[in-house]
Each structure stands twice: as structure tokens, then as C-alpha cells.
Amino acid sequence: MEVHEPAVAYSKQKVSIEEYLKMENAADEKHEYYKGEIFAMSGAKVPHNAISGNIFGILFNKLKGKKCKPFNSDQRIHVPSNTLFTYPDISIICGEIITLNNDDYNVLNPTVIIEVLSKSTRNYDRGEKFKLYRDIKTLKEYILVDSVSIHLEVFRLNESGHWELEEYNAPADTLLIKSINEDILLSDIYDGVKIEE
């Protein structure tokens, strides 16, 4: 999903979390929330959606019957320490799903977050958004998947509590998601996707 400037209807005033949740639960479109501001989200291009669909389908099959479950971009994630409410392209939640006030909407404990990059969101996803995601105590891996070239960046939390980067660039490469002990071929991630040369 692409994030745009603060939604016009709300940009002139700060909105409380309670007001945002009330509006969001009644809205037809999705909006992110951060520190009183609401940001409209728009639809994504075909390559972005194809990549998201490929990854979700693979993870759904690999994790069937296991303790970790993948969720698509309809699942809202909340980071209480910095107020962010957002809709990652894919999140993986292991064990019991913990939500804000047991509301069944706002998940607090993802183990893995995957974002598919577009030209308009790549800098935000790599920078400010990753900084906000790092406040999630349960997060072990953050995976960025390019939608215009075959390129993945995988940030993993090491035993010392530091984030390490591993990159994948070839269709024959295999992405290892260590925290769930599963791997995915990049050729399967990009299956049916037209990539710019």
C-alpha cells in the first residue's frame, strides 16, 4: 500500500487514538495514524500486489498447522510506544495473537513484517517506518522486497540486540526467514512479475 500526505479532512487538526479508531473502523479506505495525524493509503500497482500475493500464498501453505500465521495488508498493527497504527503488506504472528484491549483489530506482537517497496514508499519504509517498527518488542525480522528489481533486504535482530542486514539479488537465491525457520526462492516471490531490466 502507498502512504500519502495527511488526509485532507483531518490535516488541520490533531486526532486522538480513540477518534482515529472510531473513524477507521467505519471507513471504506485504510488510513495510517501517527502522533495525531491520519495518512490516507491508496492502492498499489500490479507488480506490488503480485509479489505480496506470491509471498502470502507461499507462507500460508508453509505455515499451515504451525504456531506462526501470515496476515495480509488488511491486518492493522499498532505500536503503543510511538502511537503508530499501520497496515504492513504482510505480517507473521507467532503464538497467541495479542491485540489492543483484546479488540481483535490492532495486533501488538508481530514476529516478522514484510513490506513490498514502491518508488513512492521505499525511503519511508527503509527509514522512518523501520525506526518505528523497531519499537515492537516481538519483532525479529523486517523484510523489504523491491517491486521494480529483484532485490530483498532482510534486517534481523541478532543475539546482541542489534539489527543486521542481509541482501538477496538473484532469482536462484533463497530467502531464509530465520525466526520461523522457513525459506522461499526469490524466483517464486517474483513469479509472474515483470521486472524492469
Side-chain angles (χ1 to χ4, degrees):
M1 288 299 224
E2 297 191 9
V3 181
H4 293 282
E5 292 303 309
V8 175
Y10 317 121
S11 61
K12 291 183 171 52
Q13 59 182 11
K14 294 284 185 181
V15 175
S16 71
I17 286 175
E18 292 74 20
E19 289 170 317
Y20 161 74
L21 291 174
K22 187 175 180 182
M23 287 186 284
E24 191 69 355
N25 292 342
D28 292 327
E29 306 87 19
K30 290 188 272 193
H31 303 84
E32 289 197 340
Y33 175 94
Y34 179 59
K35 290 190 173 178
E37 290 188 275
I38 294 176
F39 300 84
M41 302 180 75
S42 66
K45 291 183 177 178
V46 169
H48 180 290
N49 291 330
I51 291 166
S52 294
N54 287 344
I55 297 171
F56 180 80
I58 293 163
L59 288 172
F60 178 84
N61 288 321
K62 283 182 175 284
L63 296 174
K64 206 167 186 180
K66 298 182 180 177
K67 68 170 188 162
C68 298
K69 299 285 180 210
F71 291 81
N72 65 22
S73 62
D74 283 334
Q75 182 57 64
R76 193 161 61 225
I77 301 292
H78 177 45
V79 188
S81 60
N82 60 42
T83 77
L84 180 69
F85 286 85
T86 187
Y87 296 85
D89 290 307
I90 297 168
S91 51
I92 301 171
I93 300 152
C94 296
E96 181 187 358
I97 297 170
I98 301 170
T99 58
L100 179 66
N101 302 321
N102 298 314
D103 64 7
D104 264 353
Y105 279 108
N106 302 286
V107 170
L108 304 176
N109 63 324
T111 301
V112 180
I113 288 176
I114 302 171
E115 294 282 15
V116 179
L117 302 177
S118 63
K119 287 180 181 177
S120 64
T121 64
R122 68 177 64 241
N123 291 335
Y124 173 57
D125 286 338
R126 253 196 211 106
E128 182 65 20
K129 198 168 201 182
F130 182 31
K131 186 179 174 186
L132 297 174
Y133 280 154
R134 291 200 297 269
D135 284 343
I136 302 171
K137 303 297 185 197
T138 56
L139 190 67
K140 304 293 183 217
E141 289 174 277
Y142 181 51
I143 302 170
L144 299 173
V145 184
D146 203 329
S147 63
V148 296
S149 64
I150 295 177
H151 182 68
L152 271 72
E153 295 170 284
V154 182
F155 295 90
R156 294 190 184 94
L157 197 60
N158 66 22
E159 291 178 5
S160 303
H162 297 106
W163 289 92
E164 295 178 341
L165 170 64
E166 186 171 359
E167 297 183 77
Y168 301 81
N169 296 297
D173 285 349
T174 300
L175 163 66
L176 172 62
I177 308 178
K178 282 188 178 179
S179 55
I180 60 169
N181 196 30
E182 297 288 351
D183 52 41
I184 306 174
L185 274 169
L186 264 67
S187 58
D188 290 336
I189 289 173
Y190 288 95
D191 183 50
V193 179
K194 286 186 179 178
I195 296 297
E196 297 173 9
E197 296 297 330

